[in-house]
Structure formats: C-alpha cells, structure tokens
C-alpha cells in the first residue's frame, strides 16, 4: 500500500500543474487579462501616477511579460525545487538553483500575503464541510436503508419523490428563499442572514450560561445558530442523491446469494442487515465521497457568497473579479490538493469496506 500511496502522491504533481495551467490561461486570455481590475484603478488616477503605478506592478509582478513566462515564474515561485528569486527595484532577479521555501506570493488586489489570506479563509470553508459531510452521510444511510427495507410501500415511494424534488432545487434559489423566509423580519426571523458570529460573540463565554441579565447563549451556540442556514443549503442536495444511491445498493445486496445464505443459517435480520448487507452497500458511497468533497468546495463558493461568510469561496470570487493572479492560482491549487487527497482517502477506504480489494 505504501508504494501505491507514493505513486498516487507523485501523480498529483502533473495533475496540479494541469489544473493551475488551465486556470491561469483562461484568466489570462479572457478580456482584460491578468490584473484586469487594475485598469479601472489606473483610469481614476492622474496620468503620471497611473504610469508610475503600472510600472511598479509590471516590475513587481511581471504583468507585462508573455503569459507563458508569467506562469513559469509562478510555478518556480511555488515549487520547493527551483531558482531562488529576489525582489529588487529593477524587478525580480533569479539566483542559484536548489531547494527553497515555496511562496504563494502577494495579492495585488488586497496588498497582503496570499498565505495569510488563505490561513484566515480556509478554516472557515473546512468548518462548513466538516459539519456538512457527516450530516449528509448520516441522513443518506438512514433514509436509504429504511427505503430499501420497505420497498414499494407508501413511505418508500413518498420519500423517493421528495428526495428527487429536493435534489432538483438549485442552491442559489434555496439560499435566497431561506434568507427571505427564515432570516427576514417580515416572516420568521429565526436565524441571522449573514456572517458566522454575532458582533458581541468574542465577549461571550464559550458555553451557554445564565447570568443576572438572563440567558447568555455563549460563543458555541452563537456559531451554531449562524451555521444553520448555510449548512442546510450545502446539505440537502448531497443527502438526496446519496439516499437514492444507498437504497439501490442495499436492494442489490439484500437480494444477493450471501444474504440468503446468512438468513438460511438462522442469523437474525439485524445481523444480516448491518453485518452483511450494509458493509457491502458502503462501496458506492465511498466512491461518491471522492466527488462529494470537491462538490462541497464548489458549493461553498455559492453559499459563502449568499451568506457573506468570509471563507475560501468568497475570497476566490473576489479574486476572480479582480483578476488577481496570485489569489486565483492559489485557490485552484488548494482546491485541487483537497480534492485529490479526498479521492486518495476514498480509494484507501475501499480496503476497509471490502476485504477483496488489495493494493499489492
């Protein structure tokens, strides 16, 4: 298995180069090109100041170089093996070749280090996905097993229609509707419409308490209260799809020979269901996990924009609007790494779910 993991990790390198290259050249060849938002900034300045600022950006970021040169410089910048670089008043100068510390650069739209920006944004996006994924799988497994055991009955047919309709609802529409009804003072003002915390959250105790002034919700409850609507938006599509998948897998395994043999041996229905049929039915869910995680990252872009959550999705949207080369490429790189790691973990989980699978 070690050889398999090393081989998969090495194959990530050309894949990541392909992902970032496509992202960069699509951005570079689009109208306005890399740093397109800077044109508006230059247009609002005096001619001399605009010229001086443009020369600074060209010298600092090499925006006047051909696209292939810009991409090559960025690859060298993030690679742990390459030419050492030094920023000088005349521009970037290349030094000796060898191992160096990777650098994601500095955002020219926000004027801050890309690493610092993603250190603040990435935990927020991961929090959304860490909360969402177990909810999706818990509901999908329970619903799928129940539907399979009661095949053809009213609840099976009704849940099937309901899940199909739920899966068809666009995330953008559901987010707007949730805010319009559950976060509006005109209807049910049950949840906040934006952000991850209340203004006074930092001064709250961590857990809910009672004080002389009354009930204090605490930082944890306040954070959960803010997460309800975003998590609902990210969750419903995933469990609607996986529930149908789980139902199909369970039906297939419940009619298999090994399940009939287990029943013929006198095993209880509970043992047959959970120890024999359920374990084999997990394989399709593990396969889909490799697609669910990248899908959740993509969904986070929409949800974070709707609910104004300062995560990786909102940061990436701002970077795309600004044509910020460093931020967009770093976002593509981080999303690519997370997606491929999730695929690798899903492949490794096959061994746990099915003893017939081997990597030798």
């Amino acid at each position: 298995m070690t050889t398999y993991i090393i081989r998969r990790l090495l194959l990530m390198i050309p894949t990541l180069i392909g992902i970032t290259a496509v992202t960069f050249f699509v951005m570079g060849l689009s109208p306005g090109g890399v740093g397109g938002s800077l044109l508006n900034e230059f247009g609002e300045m005096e001619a001399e100041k605009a010229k001086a600022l443009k020369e600074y950006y060209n010298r600092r970021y090499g925006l006047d170089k051909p696209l292939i040169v810009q991409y090559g410089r960025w690859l060298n910048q993030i690679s742990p093996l390459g030419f050492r670089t030094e920023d000088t008043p005349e521009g970037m100068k290349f030094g000796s070749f060898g191992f160096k510390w990777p650098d994601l650069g500095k955002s020219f739209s926000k004027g801050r280090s890309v690493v610092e920006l993603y250190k603040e944004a990435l935990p927020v996006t991961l929090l959304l996905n860490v909360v969402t994924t177990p909810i999706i799988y818990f509901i999908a497994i329970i619903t799928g097993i129940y539907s399979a055991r009661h095949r053809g009955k009213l609840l099976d047919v009704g849940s099937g229609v309901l899940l199909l309709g739920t899966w068809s609802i666009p995330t953008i529409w559901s987010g707007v509707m949730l805010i319009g009804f559950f976060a509006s003072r005109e209807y049910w003002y049950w949840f906040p419409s934006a952000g991850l915390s209340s203004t006074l959250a930092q001064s709250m105790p961590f857990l809910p308490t009672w004080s002389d002034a009354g009930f204090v919700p605490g930082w944890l409850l306040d954070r959960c209260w803010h997460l309800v609507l975003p998590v609902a938006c990210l969750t419903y599509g995933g469990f609607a799809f996986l529930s149908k998948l789980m139902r199909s897998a369970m039906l297939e395994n419940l009619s298999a020979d090994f399940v009939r043999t287990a029943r013929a041996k006198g095993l209880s229905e509970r043992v047959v269901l959970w120890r024999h049929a359920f374990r084999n039915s997990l394989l399709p869910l593990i396969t889909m996990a490799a697609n669910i995680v990248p899908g959740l990252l993509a969904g986070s872009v929409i949800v974070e924009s709707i609910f104004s959550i300062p995560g990786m999705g909102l940061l990436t949207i701002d970077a795309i609007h600004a044509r910020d080369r460093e931020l967009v490429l770093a976002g593509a790189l981080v999303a690519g790494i997370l997606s491929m790691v999730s695929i690798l973990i899903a492949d490794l989980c096959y061994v746990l779910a099915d003893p017939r699978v081997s990597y030798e």
Side-chain angles (χ1 to χ4, degrees):
M1 182 182 288
T2 306
T3 306
Y4 175 80
I5 294 174
I6 293 173
R7 189 169 67 244
R8 289 291 300 272
L9 291 175
L10 290 176
L11 283 173
M12 286 184 184
I13 297 173
T15 309
L16 288 173
I17 292 176
I19 291 172
T20 54
V22 170
T23 305
F24 175 76
F25 285 107
V26 167
M27 180 173 58
L29 296 173
S30 61
V34 177
S37 66
L38 297 176
L39 296 175
N40 298 330
E41 190 178 341
F42 295 152
E44 297 170 356
M45 294 181 176
E46 296 177 6
E48 290 296 325
K49 289 183 179 178
K51 182 181 178 183
L53 188 60
K54 187 176 181 180
E55 289 177 353
Y56 166 75
Y57 281 129
N58 289 337
R59 192 170 57 248
R60 175 70 177 78
Y61 298 102
L63 298 180
D64 56 341
K65 304 292 183 188
L67 290 179
I68 188 70
V69 176
Q70 291 185 43
Y71 181 67
R73 288 173 60 164
W74 181 80
L75 275 184
N76 178 73
Q77 185 179 295
I78 65 161
S79 172
L81 180 64
F83 294 98
R84 292 181 177 82
T85 58
E86 181 183 359
D87 288 329
T88 64
E90 293 77 24
M92 183 181 291
K93 285 191 174 180
F94 290 94
S96 59
F97 184 85
F99 287 99
K100 59 185 180 57
W101 192 256
D103 181 16
L104 290 177
K106 187 177 179 181
S107 162
F108 52 72
S109 64
K110 298 184 179 297
R112 294 178 58 193
S113 164
V114 173
V115 174
E116 288 180 4
L117 290 169
Y118 274 101
K119 270 185 180 177
E120 296 171 3
L122 186 60
V124 175
T125 301
L126 291 180
L127 171 66
L128 283 174
N129 287 277
V130 166
V131 173
T132 302
T133 305
I135 296 175
I136 289 175
Y137 273 83
F138 177 77
I139 297 177
I141 289 172
I142 298 299
T143 310
I145 292 176
Y146 185 84
S147 299
R149 291 190 63 191
H150 300 83
R151 182 183 184 184
K153 294 183 179 178
L154 179 61
L155 283 177
D156 176 36
V157 177
S159 64
V161 174
L162 183 64
L163 290 172
L164 184 61
T166 305
W167 182 70
S168 307
I169 299 174
T171 306
I172 294 178
W173 185 83
S174 65
V176 173
M177 289 296 106
L178 287 175
I179 290 177
F181 285 98
F182 290 97
S184 171
R185 294 184 185 277
E186 294 182 7
Y187 295 97
W188 313 298
Y189 185 53
W190 293 350
F191 303 103
S193 60
L196 277 179
S197 299
S198 301
T199 309
L200 301 177
Q202 295 302 324
S203 61
M204 295 178 181
F206 183 75
L207 295 175
T209 56
W210 286 92
S211 67
D212 296 337
F215 178 70
V216 180
W219 182 89
L220 182 62
L221 189 60
D222 180 72
R223 176 60 60 92
C224 294
W225 184 48
H226 282 76
L227 281 175
V228 171
L229 295 185
V231 168
C233 266
L234 282 170
T235 304
Y236 70 85
F239 75 70
F241 175 71
L242 290 182
S243 296
K244 301 295 288 181
L245 197 66
M246 186 69 191
R247 176 183 178 276
S248 302
M250 281 297 293
L251 286 175
E252 183 180 349
N253 284 295
L254 286 173
S255 59
D257 291 339
F258 68 91
V259 171
R260 279 197 293 269
T261 304
R263 284 173 174 155
K265 289 166 64 180
L267 297 178
S268 67
E269 189 64 23
R270 183 178 179 182
V271 173
V272 170
L273 181 68
W274 292 103
R275 191 172 296 176
H276 295 273
F278 173 68
R279 185 173 176 179
N280 287 281
S281 302
L282 283 177
L283 290 177
L285 267 65
I286 293 174
T287 304
M288 289 310 302
N291 297 323
I292 285 287
V293 174
L296 288 175
L297 290 174
S300 300
V301 174
I302 300 171
V303 172
E304 288 172 10
S305 301
I306 294 174
F307 292 96
S308 301
I309 297 173
M312 210 174 86
L314 190 60
L315 183 63
T316 305
I317 290 290
D318 291 342
I320 292 172
H321 287 159
R323 309 288 177 81
D324 192 321
R325 182 186 64 196
E326 263 69 12
L327 268 182
V328 172
L329 290 179
L333 184 68
V334 172
I337 291 173
L338 291 177
S339 300
M340 282 187 283
V341 168
S342 66
I343 293 171
L344 178 60
I345 292 173
D347 288 346
L348 297 178
C349 287
Y350 278 127
V351 178
L352 302 177
D354 189 348
R356 296 170 297 179
V357 178
S358 172
Y359 296 107
E360 298 300 332

